[in-house]
């Protein structure tokens, strides 16, 4: 075996080892609001359940390794002492990933990720309507583990009410794990779908993705494209130009001779095929044709 002393490694290298070795980890999709009532939504994989009586969840927004800055989620829970922790299933994993983009303070990640804000019953932050389980929580305590980049901040949350979609429950109101279809985080670009194993999602751009809110209406309101499809499409930095779309149409004219006469529905089906191969740029060129 190769042995390491954490003090001999850079924080980034140590961070990578920890995240790859302690995996897969559940994801806390944390919804908060700031002092002015602006919604914020961000995922955290330093997360788990730690007590049933009282019901306690803990997640940890770590200080950024890159510049030692703190995340808006941490700033918000320090002020409001409330959070909603939504679980992440496979149906929203791409939208969850898009929401982790470092948008400016005050930007609503619900809008950017194309997710629906659902009013909570006992706390002010909104729930993610598409999440199959949502925990409304009061923040009991925040424990700072350090002041340098990479240091965690344990947000100790007490569940005051929670909601489960009936679709994942059996006749005894017991959760059916296969129907819940949870997704967990691993190292690098890897995620784990509980019932199917590992898959990859490229990390969101350091530059800002356009987000679902910036898409043409016929795309974001598509009856064909899924939330995951929209999440992938929203992570592009800019839309293709008219010239790029025209060149693309020439390239695929033999494969799709009637492309200019296609309905939105037909184009969206083909775009989904491009997305299944991770070709977001070609999908957008087709959608904008």
């Amino acid at each position: 075996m190769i042995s390491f002393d954490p003090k001999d490694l850079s924080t980034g290298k140590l961070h990578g080892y920890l995240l790859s070795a302690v995996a897969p980890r559940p994801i806390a999709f944390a919804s908060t609001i700031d002092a002015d009532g602006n919604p914020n939504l961000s995922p955290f994989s330093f997360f788990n359940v730690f007590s049933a009586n009282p019901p306690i969840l803990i997640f940890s927004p770590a200080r950024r390794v890159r510049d030692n800055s703190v995340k808006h989620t941490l700033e918000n829970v320090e002020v409001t002492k409330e959070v909603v922790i939504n679980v992440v299933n496979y149906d929203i994993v791409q939208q969850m990933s898009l929401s982790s983009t470092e948008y400016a303070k005050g930007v609503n990640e619900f809008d950017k990720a194309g997710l629906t804000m659902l009013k909570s019953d006992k706390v002010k932050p909104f729930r993610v309507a598409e999440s199959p389980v949502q925990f409304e929580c009061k923040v009991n305590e925040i424990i700072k583990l350090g002041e340098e980049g990479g240091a965690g901040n344990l947000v100790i949350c007490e569940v005051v009410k929670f909601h489960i979609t009936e679709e994942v429950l059996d006749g005894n109101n017991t959760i059916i794990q296969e129907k819940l279809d949870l997704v967990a985080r691993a190292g690098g670009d890897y995620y784990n779908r509980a019932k199917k194993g590992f898959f990859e999602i490229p990390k969101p751009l350091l530059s800002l993705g356009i987000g679902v809110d910036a898409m043409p209406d016929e795309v974001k309101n598509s009856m064909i494209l899924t939330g995951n499809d929209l999440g992938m499409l929203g992570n592009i930095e800019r839309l293709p130009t008219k010239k790029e779309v025209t060149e693309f149409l020439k390239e695929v004219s033999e494969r799709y001779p009637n492309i200019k006469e296609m309905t939105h529905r037909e184009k969206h089906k083909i775009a989904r095929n491009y997305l299944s191969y991770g070709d977001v740029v070609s999908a957008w060129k087709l959608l904008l044709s």
Side-chain angles (χ1 to χ4, degrees):
M1 300 185 74
I2 300 176
S3 301
F4 301 96
D5 186 326
K7 295 180 181 178
D8 295 334
L9 299 174
S10 68
T11 302
K13 188 70 171 177
L14 177 58
H15 186 258
Y17 279 134
L18 292 172
L19 268 61
S20 294
V22 185
R25 301 178 306 282
I27 301 169
F29 205 8
S31 167
T32 59
I33 59 172
D34 66 17
D36 297 321
N38 297 307
N40 180 270
L41 183 64
S42 187
F44 300 91
S45 68
F46 288 175
F47 164 63
N48 220 309
V49 56
F50 288 86
S51 172
N53 186 21
I56 298 293
L57 308 177
I58 300 178
F59 73 101
S60 178
R63 302 180 73 92
R64 294 185 180 91
V65 175
R66 183 179 67 254
D67 58 7
N68 197 25
S69 59
V70 298
K71 298 186 177 181
H72 299 142
T73 298
L74 179 60
E75 296 174 340
N76 292 349
V77 295
E78 287 176 331
V79 172
T80 68
K81 306 298 184 183
E82 294 183 341
V83 61
V84 175
I85 296 178
N86 308 273
V87 305
V88 178
N89 66 350
Y90 186 75
D91 287 345
I92 62 171
V93 64
Q94 293 282 355
Q95 291 166 283
M96 176 276 301
S97 177
L98 177 58
S99 76
S100 69
T101 300
E102 294 182 13
Y103 292 109
K105 186 175 179 61
V107 171
N108 187 341
E109 286 86 0
F110 280 91
D111 292 339
K112 286 295 179 184
L115 293 166
T116 307
M117 294 190 299
L118 184 62
K119 186 175 176 58
S120 297
D121 292 342
K122 291 193 172 184
V123 298
K124 292 180 181 178
F126 294 93
R127 295 179 274 151
V128 175
E130 291 82 359
S131 170
V133 185
Q134 310 137 7
F135 297 98
E136 298 184 28
C137 303
K138 296 285 187 179
V139 175
N140 289 348
E141 187 178 1
I142 300 173
I143 301 176
K144 298 182 182 297
L145 302 180
E147 298 296 332
E148 302 298 325
N153 298 273
L154 302 186
V155 182
I156 302 175
C157 309
E158 182 169 350
V159 179
V160 295
K161 193 167 188 177
F162 63 101
H163 314 265
I164 306 174
T165 180
E166 292 183 3
E167 295 175 0
V168 304
L169 297 173
D170 65 14
N172 296 317
N173 281 343
T174 298
I175 291 177
I176 304 169
Q177 292 292 162
E178 292 82 1
K179 289 188 176 181
L180 190 57
D181 200 11
L182 290 178
V183 169
R185 193 72 171 90
D189 291 341
Y190 280 95
Y191 288 79
N192 182 273
R193 188 177 183 184
K195 63 182 183 180
K196 288 197 174 180
F198 286 106
F199 63 98
E200 290 184 84
I201 297 178
K203 293 180 180 179
L205 300 169
L206 288 178
S207 50
L208 304 182
I210 63 168
V212 175
D213 59 333
M215 295 179 186
D217 288 342
E218 67 270 15
V219 175
K220 65 183 177 184
N221 297 326
S222 172
M223 299 298 291
I224 301 297
L225 299 171
T226 67
N228 277 336
D229 295 330
L230 295 179
M232 294 178 70
L233 291 167
N235 196 37
I236 198 167
E237 185 177 2
R238 65 168 182 85
L239 293 176
T241 64
K242 289 184 178 180
K243 180 179 179 182
E244 290 170 332
V245 172
T246 300
E247 292 174 350
F248 171 79
L249 293 179
K250 291 178 182 178
E251 293 172 4
V252 299
S253 59
E254 289 188 12
R255 187 185 309 172
Y256 306 114
N258 64 332
I259 193 169
K260 292 185 178 180
E261 288 74 43
M262 285 183 181
T263 64
H264 288 316
R265 186 180 182 87
E266 290 170 328
K267 290 180 181 179
H268 292 187
K269 288 181 177 180
I270 299 172
R272 285 203 71 190
N273 187 54
Y274 280 117
L275 291 172
S276 71
Y277 292 100
D279 190 351
V280 178
V281 174
S282 293
W284 263 122
K285 290 177 180 176
L286 177 66
L287 291 169
L288 295 176
S289 64

